[in-house]
Amino acid sequence: MKAIVTVVGKDKKGIIAKVSNVLFKNDVNIVDISQTIMQDMFTMIMMVEFDETGVSVVEIEKALKAAEKEMGLSIHVQREEIFSSMHRI
């Protein structure tokens, strides 16, 4: 299954490392990643892939909550098909 992970917050060292480490520990593969810094704001969008028999979207989001709180970020996870249908042109 694929999902979209969005990360937004004040830029600081270790954001990518922290988020990718949580995903790694939950056996989630990063398929594609885009990140940028706009002035002092960090933004990242990742497409991830995982076997839902191992972990669910809800479990991944819960696992990312600690990183979100620790680093002062806003992190959201959505199934890819939901994200795509919400952002159609």
Side-chain angles (χ1 to χ4, degrees), residues 24-43:
F24 171 76
K25 286 180 179 178
N26 285 278
D27 202 26
V28 176
N29 184 44
I30 299 170
V31 177
D32 201 356
I33 184 170
S34 173
Q35 63 91 30
T36 190
I37 299 167
M38 298 168 34
Q39 294 183 1
D40 65 344
M41 292 300 293
F42 174 87
T43 62

Side-chain angles (χ1 to χ4, degrees), residues 38-82:
M38 298 168 34
Q39 294 183 1
D40 65 344
M41 292 300 293
F42 174 87
T43 62
M44 177 168 63
I45 300 174
M46 295 188 284
M47 178 178 286
V48 299
E49 188 173 52
F50 56 94
D51 181 1
E52 227 178 342
T53 61
V55 66
S56 71
V57 169
V58 171
E59 290 170 317
I60 292 168
E61 197 160 38
K62 283 181 185 176
L64 288 166
K65 284 294 176 195
E68 180 180 52
K69 189 172 187 169
E70 180 184 330
M71 300 198 80
L73 303 169
S74 175
I75 302 176
H76 298 282
V77 183
Q78 281 188 310
R79 294 175 64 102
E80 188 235 0
E81 61 269 16
I82 294 171

